[in-house]
Amino acid sequence: MGFLERVRQKYIADRASGKPVVILGIESSCDETSASVIRDGHEILSNIVSSQIEIHKRFGGVVPEVASRRHVENVNDVVEEALQQAGVTIEDLSAVAVTYGPGLVGALLVGVSWAKGLCWSKGIPMIGVQHIAGHIYANFLSGGMEPPLLALVVSGGHTELVHMPAHGEFEFLGRTRDDAAGEAYDKVGRAMGLPYPGGPQIDRLALEGNPQAYAFPRAWIDERSMDFSFSGLKSAVLNTMHNAEQRGEPWKVEDISASFQAAVVEVLVEKTVRAVHHTGVKNVVVAGGVAANRGLRAALTKRAEEAGFHVHFPRFDLCSDNAAMIAAAAFPMYLQGKFHDLDLNAIASLSLTKWKDTPTISL
Ligand code: KG4
Ligand code: ZN
């Protein structure tokens, strides 16, 4: 019997049995190897994250070849630990969800190949998940809201405002024209001599600094645009430090951090307000590593109260890369019986909107 027929028979039997939907998620798009087991789309039974940050720190960023190798070394143990901690066996799994893009292609391939091997050998449905969709779905794991939604996506590689009219449907309202928010944080952090990744360090230092110490630029682009640009801000920060050094004047890392963060946060918050006004959608979720930023959380929460909309952030531990969010994003597809075949491939530049167009088999 072919793979698809085995998957079809398992799906029909599992649905008829009325047992809970148990999805194993696998994430390996960048520098975290993660596996997680989720019950019924939102209940986290386990979420194991093996981070490579310590390894990449000495290079000041992620080295792709090193990342792939570590994923290969880790993936078995991480999945085993996730199953064990969840108290389930492979036989209990309803489906396997795996990130297949965007990300480092060699890193993605480790997770994709592993998922394929398991699904083929056991006849388990496989669902390929777009990584940013996973970040958005992290919100559903901590009592988030139902679509229609707006998502402010702020990660290391992406900064976007997305309209999500229904599960699995995404329309771009705005995106960065140069650096992503997390990327700007990391580059400024690196220039200040902070360890990689700079985002969490700047967030911490900003609490002790004066946000008005430096008047860094805000890139509004024009008064209606929902696009972002952070490279001018990054250059302004670097110039300020450079000029001060040339004049022999000291600069305070806390003040630069606070002033830089104030500029990033103000633009993110106001462009989100624009998106709310533009669409009339009053439920906003925040997604990606920078969603952990305390300055952003405080400012957006306050502004939402003033402007009359709701905002939801993922739990702190679910903001950065993890497999629970990948399994959560796969849940609506599972309910629709939409699965991937064994020709699923890693796609380094897979976009949110392309995810929907990817051919899936419907049972
Ligand atoms: O979403 P993520 O884990 O990986 C990608 O998919 O890119 O995001 C990582 C990014 C890094 O740039 C990191 O510096 C940033 O998120 N980040 C933060 C904070 N925590 C992580 N940026 C600002 N404040 C934070 N607290
Ligand atoms: Zn991510």
Side-chain angles (χ1 to χ4, degrees):
M1 209 191 309
F3 174 64
L4 295 187
E5 184 52 25
R6 285 157 68 215
V7 164
R8 199 179 71 85
Q9 289 190 7
K10 175 176 165 56
Y11 183 65
I12 291 168
D14 280 357
R15 298 304 283 152
S17 75
K19 58 183 191 184
V21 179
V22 178
I23 301 183
L24 167 70
I26 300 174
E27 155 68 38
S28 68
S29 66
C30 190
D31 57 353
E32 260 100 26
T33 321
S34 179
S36 165
V37 179
I38 298 289
R39 183 157 57 201
D40 290 332
H42 58 86
E43 197 187 336
I44 304 176
L45 301 185
S46 63
N47 189 22
I48 310 297
V49 182
S50 164
S51 176
Q52 306 176 2
I53 283 183
E54 286 307 317
I55 298 164
H56 297 289
K57 245 181 189 164
R58 58 196 166 108
F59 304 108
V62 179
V63 184
E65 288 79 6
V66 176
S68 312
R69 194 163 348 116
R70 293 299 292 195
H71 287 307
V72 172
E73 287 163 9
N74 282 339
V75 64
N76 263 321
D77 291 348
V78 169
V79 172
E80 204 161 296
E81 202 179 330
L83 293 173
Q84 215 168 52
Q85 209 180 85
V88 302
T89 65
I90 284 175
E91 275 60 43
D92 298 319
L93 298 179
S94 311
V96 175
V98 64
T99 309
Y100 72 111
L104 304 169
V105 77
L108 288 163
L109 270 171
V110 177
V112 169
S113 314
W114 206 94
K116 277 193 208 176
L118 175 62
C119 291
W120 176 79
S121 68
K122 298 283 180 182
I124 303 172
M126 179 174 65
I127 302 171
V129 174
Q130 202 270 4
H131 180 81
I132 300 299
H135 276 300
I136 293 174
Y137 273 85
N139 285 281
F140 295 87
L141 289 166
S142 42
M145 300 171 275
E146 284 298 304
L149 296 171
L150 288 178
L152 171 65
V153 176
V154 275
S155 76
H158 294 259
T159 300
E160 284 142 9
L161 273 162
V162 179
H163 178 213
M164 184 178 169
H167 280 292
E169 287 183 28
F170 307 97
E171 297 157 7
F172 287 114
L173 300 170
R175 53 173 22 133
T176 184
R177 297 185 178 184
D178 39 59
D179 291 351
E183 189 180 356
Y185 266 97
D186 295 343
K187 286 178 176 170
V188 166
R190 193 176 171 147
M192 292 196 292
L194 301 175
Y196 167 84
Q201 310 284 341
I202 293 179
D203 189 13
R204 181 177 52 79
L205 291 161
L207 287 175
E208 294 152 32
N210 173 9
Q212 268 124 36
Y214 300 94
F216 290 137
R218 276 78 168 146
W220 299 115
I221 300 175
D222 67 46
E223 65 204 26
R224 294 223 313 268
S225 174
M226 287 174 271
D227 279 351
F228 300 93
S229 165
F230 293 108
S231 71
L233 168 62
K234 177 196 63 192
S235 302
V237 175
L238 266 50
N239 283 341
T240 300
M241 287 161 51
H242 189 67
N243 292 343
E245 275 160 17
Q246 282 197 329
R247 288 196 299 266
E249 292 168 5
W251 48 266
K252 261 182 79 186
V253 67
E254 292 85 356
D255 286 347
I256 300 255
S257 296
S259 303
F260 165 76
Q261 179 151 304
V264 174
V265 167
E266 188 181 332
V267 173
L268 292 176
V269 169
E270 291 313 315
K271 301 244 167 174
T272 304
V273 175
R274 283 183 192 179
V276 169
H277 289 155
H278 177 80
T279 57
V281 175
K282 290 191 181 308
N283 286 334
V284 176
V285 296
V286 187
V290 186
N293 186 270
R294 282 167 293 178
L296 175 62
R297 288 170 97 101
L300 191 54
T301 304
K302 182 162 171 279
R303 193 73 175 85
E305 268 170 32
E306 289 164 7
F309 63 91
H310 304 284
V311 62
H312 189 274
F313 295 86
R315 239 171 50 192
F316 272 106
D317 60 319
L318 299 173
C319 289
S320 49
D321 293 349
N322 67 88
M325 67 186 198
I326 302 303
F331 181 63
M333 285 178 72
Y334 179 84
L335 294 183
Q336 293 166 21
K338 282 190 168 172
F339 305 123
H340 282 93
D341 203 346
L342 294 172
D343 60 359
L344 181 71
N345 205 353
I347 304 177
S349 60
L350 181 71
S351 87
L352 254 186
T353 46
K354 283 282 179 310
W355 182 40
K356 212 188 82 186
D357 302 339
T358 305
T360 50
I361 48 166
S362 280
L363 300 171

